[in-house]
Amino acid sequence: MTSNYQMNSDASKQSVASLYREQGFLFPVDVLSEAEAKELLDDLEAAEQELAGDEEKLSILKAYPDRVLPSFDKLTRNPIILDHVTRILGPDLMVWSASIFDKSARSEKIVSWHQDLTYWGLDTDDEVTVWVALSPVTQASGCMYFVPGSHKEKAVPHKDTFAENNLLSRGQEITVDVAEGEGIPVELRPGQASFHHGHLFHSSGPNHTDKRRTAPAIRFIKASVKQAGGEKPLVSHVHGTDEFGHYDIADTPHGRLLQSDFERCKKDAEVRRKILYAGAEKPSGTRY
Ligand SMILES: O=C(O)CCC(=O)C(=O)O
């Protein structure tokens, strides 16, 4: 089984979808130039400077970069990304979230082995994550590891650890052992993306480098996917039509770091906490 998407870069429509179906992932896919990736990182870092001291807004920025920064909304509509995702999920697409996974220089933060869909309350697995490297992503800087074909196991049990150094909401991890070497490293240069299935086993290690490792993880779903419990999270409609009305649809941000957008995200975060922490032993607090 190949793990290198570039070997298949002349892949036909069919083979993008079939490679993804077989492996549960694709990478590396060139979606931005290095200069464009730097512009996005610069915009994010400028926003962090502007919001310095306001912990709540900084948390919202990390959880909803596409709702408060026009540059990140534009990234979720990138034609190369959408071309690939439509091959996998078809034409009618929502972005369910686009939160930033961030490891500062010399950070001990990790992500345990998990499957994404466990706590999202979606009624099908018609979801694809597009993870876009904005900085160099290597084994030393804490890249992800994917277990080829593991998405075929469908949903496996997880346990919550709430470990301090875990970037996941509940520090959740699968109760299945993953042997050393089973996961392949997903190394990317700035501007490259990986695509992965919501049932794929994946994890990531600490950042041993002097550079920040930062990426938005854009979660695409089919417009037909329903949220359990009838909740209507805030999503953006980025391709095709919406004949279902399952979600609260956000506009493209009309400006940068607008108060009205922060307020809308804050309201949505209450809806999402209900979804993500359903059945958890610990309260969700104010985590975004
Ligand atoms: O950024 C990371 O290290 C992990 C991201 C992840 O687990 C995901 O995007 O599903």
Side-chain angles (χ1 to χ4, degrees), residues 12-40:
S12 67
K13 268 192 177 204
Q14 186 49 37
S15 65
V16 164
S18 58
L19 188 60
Y20 177 85
R21 245 194 325 272
E22 187 51 33
Q23 303 185 143
F25 61 83
L26 300 171
F27 84 91
V29 181
D30 293 320
V31 299
L32 299 173
S33 66
E34 290 208 30
E36 288 167 331
K38 183 173 180 320
E39 268 173 40
L40 274 171

Side-chain angles (χ1 to χ4, degrees), residues 66-70 250-258 260-261 264:
D66 55 330
R67 300 277 51 84
V68 297
L69 290 176
D251 287 343
T252 296
H254 296 301
R256 202 168 167 283
L257 305 178
L258 297 181
S260 54
D261 286 332
R264 198 144 179 219

